Amino acid sequence: MMSTHEKTYTTKANFMLHGGDYNPDQWLDRPDILADDIKLMQLSHTNTFSVGIFAWAALEPEEGVYNFEWLDKVIDDIYSIDGRVILATPSGARPAWMSQKYPEVLRVNGARVKQLHGGRHNHCFTSPVYREKTQKINRLLAERYGSHPALLMWHISNEYGGECHCDRCQGAFREYLKKKYNNDLKFLNDAWWGPFWSHTFTDWSQIESPSSIGESMVHGLNLDWRRFVTDQTIDFFENEIVPIKELTPDVPITTNFMADTHELIPFQALDYSKFAKHLDVISWDAYPAWHNDIESTADLAMRVGFIDDLYRCLKQQPFLLMESTPSMVNWHPVNKAKRPGMHLLSSIQMVAHGSDSILYFQWRKSRGSSEKFHGAVVDHDNSSDNRVFQDVAEVGKTLEKLSGVVGTNRPADVAILYDWESNWALNDAQGFGLKTKRYPQTLVQHYRAFWEKDIPVDVITKEQDFAAYKLLVIPMLYLVSEETISRLKSFVAGGGTLVTTYISGLVNEHDLTYLGGWHKNLQEIFGISPVETDTYYPEDKNTVSYQNRSYELKDYATIIKLNGATVEGTYKEDFYANTPAVTSHSYENGKAYYIGGRLEDQFHRDFYQEIINDLELQPAFSVKHEKGVSVQVRRAPESDYIFVMNFTEKKQPITIESLVKDLVTGEDVSGELILERYEVRILENKK
């Protein structure tokens, strides 16, 4: 939790960044287009542009032959209109000459098949040649542009991801394991439960990465491989930034994190909690499918808020929205345009949850290849008159009035714990319901109860300080080490309130089950022992009685043995009818709750309302409103900045009890107001 309302500036800019990915290298034979870009940048009220992300072939068309003159002009032209540049390193896609001359830079997939040149991020992170080449081009960029007044920050590569299974990576993996297990094969075999299926290794050379044509059932191996992929990606990143840190130590560094797109959950392939420690600023690329036919606009907005709060909390400071679309994307199953009002609303939501930028992919639509129909500020018509361009200009004009928001933070008394490693292990577990584990989605269910009440939430990781919060929620924390259990015990003993659920605390950091039942410390904290987990078919249902109300249960039910806990709710059906389903337990100065089954959203609303009342949790600013309106607050020493957002398709009445200033209109407002559909009001409450 933020302990202060002091501002945290993540770059030297004291204004909201607005602009996005600019690819002038696609238009070098059209100087008229490049000239139009500079004019249109001013008309769109944009000020910051990410340049050079996939420009290696334009920067080094032949090995050792460089062409920086075009980039010189682009950066100078942007600076001439008082713009700023986020300069990218080009390692996200290497030129064809490199793949041809140095085939070792290409990846090998899990089936041990060498990949061809093409796509993006098809390069081996372990390759000495690729590491040498990326360092060389990055050094040249830092030498040439490091002191340019337009340079605001470095954008290292682009959307890191993927893995390589080549011989070099196998060797690096074995070295990683030797270090992790103190060069002790017995230690490794014990951690991986080697005797199972005679999978005991007698030499390090026998160990291979998981493969569909080889080993994939040793869960400890799978988990350590995923950890290695994260560490090797970070190691490659650290190699990339050596010349940049050496030559431009005062220029901040970021790389753009992602979200898995199907259900808008945190990106799964890399452990961002580890990667974040190596960045100066967190940035991410957000592409929600607004106006889809599966969920309400408010439900989608709530899930966007969850990821915002997770990525913001990775460094406990404002983040940057590095990519978004001003209209639509080209890779959703259905690529629907944003409705009038949605672009401003969705942009301001990012600011409300902690972003100090609204940046787009892309500035100008490509003319060919896979992204020619991906949304952009400038369409193929090259016009400033179309609806999308005008929507972008409106966002720019609004952001120009929000300089006071830049650097402000979002203190919270509530934290939800998200853990990449636990999710990896849970997904690997051959048990429970293979399609109903849904760990990230379950955390969002719990997050909803606070989002709907406008109570700020930090979504933290296990390395962060628990003691800063009144309430810590850890749903489905399947993998938990003894160290983390000890910290949870200290949190509750010190006066904290802890909530956990079914399928929690079952395995240690090696994905080995705890013997003797639930861990002794967890039993002490919660005053129970979970003795059996019942997994339901989709048509199976049960009900739980809690506070004289009945709630539907599906997917999972835990049979609980009491060891001193108080029964708060009971199952009403099946062979465990009338047994505990929800419990509470006072432990030293704090309290711990256990929720034994997956319950409907209304249960979470009612359950957490009791805790909200007990802990006297309050919204950061009180606005009366109906469901679907969200109120988020960023705090500065002198002011609270309040964002009131209508994520519904109808008008919504709101009531503001204090006199506050509307930052967009400049008027003082209070009392009852009407929000139009998708309308947002940005208010300042001076202290």
Side-chain angles (χ1 to χ4, degrees), residues 606-626:
D606 295 342
F607 171 79
Y608 283 113
Q609 186 61 57
E610 293 290 324
I611 295 178
I612 288 168
N613 294 340
D614 289 345
L615 299 181
E616 298 181 339
L617 302 174
Q618 299 290 334
F621 185 84
S622 180
V623 176
K624 293 182 180 179
H625 60 79
E626 300 297 323

Side-chain angles (χ1 to χ4, degrees), residues 26-289:
Q26 296 179 17
W27 302 95
L28 295 182
D29 61 347
R30 291 293 304 271
D32 58 321
I33 292 289
L34 298 181
D36 283 346
D37 283 333
I38 299 302
K39 298 174 185 176
L40 292 167
M41 287 172 183
Q42 297 173 82
L43 291 174
S44 62
H45 293 260
T46 50
N47 56 41
T48 304
F49 303 91
S50 303
V51 180
I53 293 173
F54 298 118
W56 203 330
L59 294 170
E60 190 179 4
E62 301 175 37
E63 185 175 18
V65 177
Y66 300 100
N67 178 13
F68 291 107
E69 287 74 18
W70 66 269
L71 187 54
D72 295 344
K73 178 170 172 48
V74 165
I75 294 177
D76 288 344
D77 286 349
I78 290 172
Y79 189 63
S80 73
I81 58 170
D82 201 28
R84 297 294 183 269
V85 165
I86 299 173
L87 186 56
T89 65
S91 66
R94 88 252 107 253
W97 61 256
M98 187 185 298
S99 300
Q100 183 181 47
K101 185 172 182 180
Y102 305 103
E104 73 160 62
V105 305
L106 299 174
R107 287 179 180 169
V108 172
N109 68 17
R112 308 309 190 252
V113 176
K114 186 80 167 181
Q115 303 298 283
L116 300 175
H117 174 81
R120 302 183 299 173
H121 288 292
N122 180 13
H123 47 262
C124 170
F125 287 141
T126 310
S127 163
V129 169
Y130 201 60
R131 288 178 174 231
E132 175 191 346
K133 292 297 184 184
T134 53
Q135 266 204 13
K136 186 172 183 180
I137 190 74
N138 293 355
R139 180 171 293 278
L140 293 172
L141 289 168
E143 288 173 344
R144 194 175 188 97
Y145 303 110
S147 60
H148 198 294
L151 181 62
L152 189 61
M153 68 187 307
W154 288 99
H155 182 313
I156 308 302
S157 195
N158 182 72
E159 296 183 338
Y160 283 100
E163 56 193 49
C164 178
H165 298 257
C166 72
D167 289 343
R168 282 190 176 87
C169 288
Q170 300 296 342
F173 181 42
R174 293 175 193 125
E175 290 303 312
Y176 168 87
L177 295 173
K178 288 178 183 179
K179 183 177 180 181
K180 180 179 177 66
Y181 292 102
N182 301 324
N183 209 27
D184 184 345
L185 264 177
K186 184 180 186 308
F187 184 11
L188 178 142
N189 282 313
D190 289 346
W192 289 1
W193 207 243
F196 175 77
W197 286 0
S198 196
H199 285 321
T200 299
F201 295 103
T202 57
D203 191 272
W204 294 99
S205 63
Q206 297 164 1
I207 300 173
E208 292 265 1
S209 60
S211 174
S212 60
I213 62 170
E215 185 53 74
S216 63
M217 296 295 183
V218 176
H219 291 172
L221 165 62
N222 296 345
L223 185 57
D224 278 339
W225 171 253
R226 292 184 179 99
R227 289 166 171 154
F228 165 77
V229 169
T230 291
D231 285 5
Q232 195 71 348
T233 303
I234 293 170
D235 190 68
F236 178 84
F237 167 87
E238 286 289 340
N239 180 80
E240 277 206 74
I241 67 174
V242 166
I244 289 170
K245 282 295 189 184
E246 173 192 333
L247 297 170
T248 60
D250 297 327
V251 180
I253 287 175
T254 191
T255 191
N256 44 341
F257 287 175
M258 295 178 280
D260 277 2
T261 57
H262 178 60
E263 288 195 82
L264 198 68
I265 59 176
F267 186 61
Q268 300 299 298
L270 297 173
D271 185 343
Y272 283 161
S273 69
K274 292 182 178 179
F275 208 151
K277 298 172 185 176
H278 300 261
L279 303 176
D280 298 318
V281 185
I282 300 298
S283 62
W284 80 283
D285 301 345
Y287 293 105

Side-chain angles (χ1 to χ4, degrees), residues 179-401:
K179 183 177 180 181
K180 180 179 177 66
Y181 292 102
N182 301 324
N183 209 27
D184 184 345
L185 264 177
K186 184 180 186 308
F187 184 11
L188 178 142
N189 282 313
D190 289 346
W192 289 1
W193 207 243
F196 175 77
W197 286 0
S198 196
H199 285 321
T200 299
F201 295 103
T202 57
D203 191 272
W204 294 99
S205 63
Q206 297 164 1
I207 300 173
E208 292 265 1
S209 60
S211 174
S212 60
I213 62 170
E215 185 53 74
S216 63
M217 296 295 183
V218 176
H219 291 172
L221 165 62
N222 296 345
L223 185 57
D224 278 339
W225 171 253
R226 292 184 179 99
R227 289 166 171 154
F228 165 77
V229 169
T230 291
D231 285 5
Q232 195 71 348
T233 303
I234 293 170
D235 190 68
F236 178 84
F237 167 87
E238 286 289 340
N239 180 80
E240 277 206 74
I241 67 174
V242 166
I244 289 170
K245 282 295 189 184
E246 173 192 333
L247 297 170
T248 60
D250 297 327
V251 180
I253 287 175
T254 191
T255 191
N256 44 341
F257 287 175
M258 295 178 280
D260 277 2
T261 57
H262 178 60
E263 288 195 82
L264 198 68
I265 59 176
F267 186 61
Q268 300 299 298
L270 297 173
D271 185 343
Y272 283 161
S273 69
K274 292 182 178 179
F275 208 151
K277 298 172 185 176
H278 300 261
L279 303 176
D280 298 318
V281 185
I282 300 298
S283 62
W284 80 283
D285 301 345
Y287 293 105
W290 297 111
H291 319 296
N292 67 72
D293 62 349
I294 298 173
E295 63 191 329
S296 71
T297 302
D299 282 346
L300 178 54
M302 181 260 301
R303 293 195 289 115
V304 174
F306 176 86
I307 301 180
D308 281 342
D309 289 342
L310 170 61
Y311 290 171
R312 172 178 52 81
C313 289
L314 288 175
K315 293 193 80 69
Q316 291 285 5
Q317 66 184 28
F319 64 91
L320 298 180
L321 175 62
M322 187 59 70
E323 290 184 21
S324 61
T325 178
S327 54
M328 64 187 73
V329 297
N330 67 326
W331 41 264
H332 283 163
V334 176
N335 297 291
K336 192 166 186 173
K338 288 181 178 176
R339 271 35 202 166
M342 178 49 72
H343 181 51
L344 177 62
L345 174 62
S346 60
S347 297
I348 295 304
Q349 184 195 15
M350 306 302 291
V351 174
H353 281 267
S355 179
D356 281 352
S357 72
I358 300 297
L359 302 172
Y360 309 114
F361 181 85
Q362 49 192 330
W363 164 255
R364 177 183 287 277
K365 280 187 178 178
S366 300
R367 190 176 180 193
S369 293
S370 65
E371 291 173 333
K372 62 180 175 287
F373 295 122
H374 190 293
V377 179
V378 182
D379 210 326
H380 297 133
D381 62 7
N382 200 42
S383 172
S384 62
D385 295 331
N386 61 63
R387 181 177 72 91
V388 171
F389 190 97
Q390 291 300 315
D391 281 353
V392 168
E394 181 187 13
V395 168
K397 293 173 186 177
T398 302
L399 295 177
E400 287 167 359
K401 299 177 181 181

